[in-house]
Amino acid sequence: MVNWRSYIMTMLYPSLCPGCGASLLWGETWCNACRRQWGMGRRIQRTSAIPHVDSVYCVASYRGPVGRGLRRLKYRRHLGNQKAWQELLDSFPFIDRLCLYSFVMPIPLVWQRQAERGFNQSEWLFRPWAKRQGICWLDGLQRIRKTQEQYGLKRKARQENLKSAFAMKGSFIKAIYGKKIILVDDIYTTGATMEACASVLKKHGASTVTGLVVASNAP
């Protein structure tokens, strides 16, 4: 049955494609051109630089519309089309490999950056997804010192930048012991941020830490 109010509102105020900003028809979340450029969900090649991360998956390619959409989301607060991002996350083809995990945990932002931005993009993207998968959301990590932006830094500089930057929130330490955890973020570049968080989780007894990101250009 057609929701006529929704239909009329969409005609008057059409949703915009996250990837290119084009007006969308009623019922669409991405334009066809951008959807064709998502790329395939895949497992990222794990390197010796991230020994505490057991595996890493990305849902889409960072090149093209998904990367543009993520930049609009983070830096321009394009928050109006969450259905589009949930559709993208639901396209992840290996969900059966993650269904027995205990927790989904976001990588925390520097508190000043979150206050300025008004939200943590990892939570905004993945918390609804975790609920649909029936996996408990656990906001158990915190940043304990300010770090500079990772963008533009080489791998070694990224690692130095993140040394001792993360810690567990005390009330959640016992909860993760022996558990399998999905660590989520919007983008994977070198894995330095994910490794810094995973090392804290493993230190407190997590049995497995698997990364899941929206997009990456890594091999």
Side-chain angles (χ1 to χ4, degrees), residues 15-88:
S15 297
L16 302 180
C17 174
C20 66
S23 296
L24 298 171
L25 299 176
W26 183 68
E28 290 184 329
T29 55
W30 295 77
C31 73
N32 289 332
C34 286
R35 188 189 301 275
R36 287 194 294 268
Q37 297 178 64
W38 279 358
M40 294 294 294
R42 59 190 173 83
R43 185 172 181 170
I44 296 171
Q45 294 178 18
R46 196 172 65 88
T47 70
S48 59
I50 54 169
H52 294 95
V53 183
D54 295 285
S55 56
V56 188
Y57 294 91
C58 69
V59 178
S61 171
Y62 186 68
R63 294 183 182 90
V66 175
R68 289 195 299 270
L70 287 173
R71 292 191 292 273
R72 290 188 177 107
L73 171 68
K74 289 199 294 185
Y75 305 122
R76 301 183 190 175
R77 292 179 54 83
H78 285 202
L79 303 174
N81 197 356
Q82 193 176 59
K83 284 184 179 179
W85 294 104
Q86 296 310 304
E87 181 185 358
L88 176 64

Side-chain angles (χ1 to χ4, degrees), residues 11 35 72 75 89 97 186 205:
M11 293 299 102
R35 188 189 301 275
R72 290 188 177 107
Y75 305 122
L89 293 180
R97 302 181 187 181
D186 58 332

Side-chain angles (χ1 to χ4, degrees), residues 2-217:
V2 175
N3 184 329
W4 287 105
R5 184 177 185 278
S6 176
Y7 177 80
I8 292 169
M9 291 301 292
T10 301
M11 293 299 102
L12 294 174
Y13 306 102
S15 297
L16 302 180
C17 174
C20 66
S23 296
L24 298 171
L25 299 176
W26 183 68
E28 290 184 329
T29 55
W30 295 77
C31 73
N32 289 332
C34 286
R35 188 189 301 275
R36 287 194 294 268
Q37 297 178 64
W38 279 358
M40 294 294 294
R42 59 190 173 83
R43 185 172 181 170
I44 296 171
Q45 294 178 18
R46 196 172 65 88
T47 70
S48 59
I50 54 169
H52 294 95
V53 183
D54 295 285
S55 56
V56 188
Y57 294 91
C58 69
V59 178
S61 171
Y62 186 68
R63 294 183 182 90
V66 175
R68 289 195 299 270
L70 287 173
R71 292 191 292 273
R72 290 188 177 107
L73 171 68
K74 289 199 294 185
Y75 305 122
R76 301 183 190 175
R77 292 179 54 83
H78 285 202
L79 303 174
N81 197 356
Q82 193 176 59
K83 284 184 179 179
W85 294 104
Q86 296 310 304
E87 181 185 358
L88 176 64
L89 293 180
D90 286 344
S91 73
F92 179 62
F94 306 118
I95 187 58
D96 57 309
R97 302 181 187 181
L98 304 177
C99 61
L100 296 180
Y101 280 61
S102 300
F103 299 115
V104 176
M105 296 182 66
I107 289 179
L109 294 176
V110 177
W111 73 266
Q112 294 97 330
R113 195 168 301 142
Q114 180 156 342
E116 178 183 314
R117 192 172 292 171
F119 67 105
N120 180 336
Q121 69 275 3
S122 297
E123 179 174 4
W124 188 87
L125 289 160
F126 280 102
R127 190 163 190 162
W129 175 86
K131 184 176 181 179
R132 288 197 302 282
Q133 306 309 322
I135 307 174
C136 182
W137 182 265
L138 189 70
D139 190 9
L141 285 166
Q142 60 184 334
R143 295 246 187 179
I144 56 175
R145 70 173 182 83
K146 189 175 181 180
T147 57
Q148 68 181 97
E149 286 276 6
Q150 292 282 84
Y151 180 76
L153 298 179
K154 300 296 184 182
R155 181 187 292 275
K156 189 171 182 180
R158 285 172 180 254
Q159 292 170 337
E160 288 296 320
N161 185 41
L162 293 168
K163 270 188 177 178
S164 303
F166 299 99
M168 282 294 299
K169 296 177 181 177
S171 57
F172 297 123
I173 289 176
K174 290 184 179 179
I176 69 166
Y177 187 84
K179 297 299 193 296
K180 300 172 74 173
I181 295 170
I182 304 169
L183 191 59
V184 294
D185 204 1
D186 58 332
I187 301 165
Y188 178 97
T189 306
T190 67
T193 304
M194 191 163 285
E195 169 61 18
C197 291
S199 66
V200 172
L201 298 176
K202 289 287 184 74
K203 175 184 175 182
H204 290 292
S207 64
T208 305
V209 178
T210 291
L212 179 63
V213 300
V214 178
S216 178
N217 288 337

